[in-house]
Amino acid sequence: MKNKIVFFDLLFYLVMPYMIWKYGQDPLGDYYALLLSTVPGFVYTIVRFLIEKQYNVTGMFILASLFISTIVDILSGSAFNMLQNSVYVGAGFALFFVATMIVKKPLGLYFLADIAYLQGHKREDSLRLYRQKELLPAFYIITGIFALRGLFSAGLKQYLIGVYGVEGYDRILFFMKVNGWIFSAFIAAGFIYVNLKINDYLKKQKKQDKDDDVKDDVGEELV
């Protein structure tokens, strides 16, 4: 299943956009070729959203980011503006992650609650668990990784635009995809770290509950 997801991600986010850009420049012009190259990823994301039934914070964030990005692309008016505006949008989403940390509602916490829900756990129970003071810092870390990804990606894309320009969109697309893979690995490591913290916390709680039960039994015997 994971192999299929990787294949379709490459197909719709890299291969098809590249082919549309490469063969659409001459008949359509830079702007419309670039705009059309975003369609496969847009449709693919919507289809995955519907199939996986992500009617949750994660799904809503994906749809909102997709909607905002698409509207900005359509309103850009030129290929260069479209690339440049995508940098601003990416930085804006990164700052949104930072804002959720500032207001003490790190978005990574809700992402994990959605994942736990898909595994059969109630969101309310997960959110209550994740907000424990021993666990909450881990969710700031994972949210921070998302924010760092957005800021670094925006900076990298700005640099690539300066080096390659619109004519080098295919190379920009490739480097940004590699950048996405690298940060996906960091995010996966972050989720693993959070899960380890949760498991360790639950083990300690279980041990504490057993110790409390033993104390209660001893107290009853003494009485």
Side-chain angles (χ1 to χ4, degrees):
M1 182 64 182
K2 289 183 179 180
N3 290 335
K4 288 184 178 179
I5 291 176
V6 171
F7 170 77
F8 285 122
D9 281 358
L10 284 173
L11 178 63
F12 288 100
Y13 291 137
L14 185 61
V15 177
M16 290 183 68
Y18 170 77
M19 297 301 291
I20 291 172
W21 165 254
K22 183 175 178 63
Y23 296 104
Q25 279 180 287
D26 290 336
L28 300 174
D30 289 346
Y31 173 59
Y32 289 105
L34 194 62
L35 188 61
L36 190 61
S37 72
T38 65
V39 173
F42 179 88
V43 174
Y44 173 62
T45 302
I46 294 294
V47 170
R48 276 189 62 177
F49 175 86
L50 295 174
I51 292 175
E52 296 173 6
K53 298 179 180 179
Q54 294 183 346
Y55 308 115
N56 45 46
V57 173
T58 304
M60 292 301 107
F61 177 79
I62 291 172
L63 278 188
S65 60
L66 193 62
F67 176 76
I68 292 171
S69 298
T70 302
I71 293 299
V72 171
D73 288 345
I74 292 172
L75 296 177
S76 293
S78 71
F80 178 79
N81 286 343
M82 184 174 165
L83 284 176
Q84 189 63 63
N85 288 339
S86 69
V87 172
Y88 301 143
V89 170
F93 284 126
L95 293 177
F96 176 73
F97 277 104
V98 174
T100 66
M101 298 167 66
I102 292 174
V103 299
K104 299 181 179 180
K105 292 183 179 294
L107 200 56
L109 185 149
Y110 297 93
F111 289 168
L112 262 293
D114 289 338
I115 293 173
Y117 177 77
L118 294 176
Q119 295 172 341
H121 303 285
K122 292 183 178 179
R123 281 195 183 87
E124 297 78 9
D125 294 339
S126 297
L127 292 172
R128 192 179 305 112
L129 171 63
Y130 298 163
R131 290 191 179 109
Q132 299 300 313
K133 63 180 181 179
E134 295 89 341
L135 297 176
L136 195 56
F139 292 99
Y140 280 92
I141 291 174
I142 190 67
T143 305
I145 295 174
F146 277 105
L148 179 62
R149 179 185 67 171
L151 291 173
F152 183 85
S153 298
L156 175 62
K157 195 167 192 178
Q158 182 66 63
Y159 170 77
L160 293 172
I161 292 171
V163 172
Y164 298 113
V166 175
E167 296 76 13
Y169 174 66
D170 52 346
R171 281 169 285 186
I172 294 174
L173 194 66
F174 173 76
F175 284 119
M176 293 306 298
K177 192 61 185 176
V178 172
N179 172 72
W181 289 334
I182 293 172
F183 269 98
S184 291
F186 282 124
I187 290 170
F191 279 125
I192 291 171
Y193 169 74
V194 171
N195 282 321
L196 289 174
K197 294 287 289 184
I198 292 171
N199 290 334
D200 184 57
Y201 175 81
L202 291 175
K203 286 179 182 178
K204 288 180 180 179
Q205 285 297 110
K206 190 174 182 180
K207 184 177 182 302
Q208 182 65 44
D209 291 342
K210 285 184 178 180
D211 291 342
D212 291 342
D213 289 341
V214 170
K215 289 179 182 179
D216 291 341
D217 290 342
V218 171
E220 290 176 1
E221 289 178 3
L222 291 175
V223 173

